[in-house]
């Protein structure tokens, strides 16, 4: 196992507690805004670690670039959906 493989697994293992914590925050926090905050922050950072780990496993720079672009698209979609959900919850209350 090479050093880049170890780094890839390290980033994968860093992502697990973030996904777990975001899911736990979604289930345990009392209101919509704190649930959204826990979920979006932890999941976006967790996905960033998964992408970073995947980049260490790939040998082609075009695949790495595609992974980064996918991560940026998910960040954008997460931001927009979080805003729409929070805005809807604000208007309902």
């Amino acid at each position: 196992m090479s050093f880049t493989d170890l780094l890839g697994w390290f980033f994968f293992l860093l992502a697990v507690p973030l996904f777990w914590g975001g899911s736990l925050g979604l289930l345990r926090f009392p209101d919509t805004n704190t649930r959204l905050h826990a979920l979006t922050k932890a999941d976006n950072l967790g996905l960033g670690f998964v992408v970073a780990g995947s980049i260490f496993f790939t040998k082609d720079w075009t695949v790495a670039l595609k992974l980064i672009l996918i991560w940026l698209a998910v960040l954008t979609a997460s931001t927009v959906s979080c805003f729409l959900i929070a805005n809807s919850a604000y208007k309902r209350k």
Side-chain angles (χ1 to χ4, degrees), residues 13-89:
L13 292 176
L14 278 178
V16 170
L18 289 168
F19 285 130
W20 186 78
S23 300
L24 189 65
L26 178 66
L27 296 174
R28 299 283 303 195
F29 283 147
D31 64 339
T32 305
N33 290 334
T34 55
R35 288 178 182 172
L36 286 173
H37 179 76
L39 189 62
T40 55
K41 298 301 179 195
D43 283 349
N44 287 336
L45 189 57
L47 182 61
F49 283 140
V50 169
V51 167
S54 299
I55 287 173
F56 281 108
F57 285 117
T58 185
K59 303 298 183 227
D60 190 10
W61 66 271
T62 57
V63 174
L65 183 63
K66 289 176 187 177
L67 286 170
I68 292 170
L69 289 175
I70 289 169
W71 180 52
L72 292 175
V74 170
L75 284 176
T76 304
S78 174
T79 303
V80 170
S81 63
C82 181
F83 171 76
L84 291 174
I85 293 170
N87 195 20
S88 174

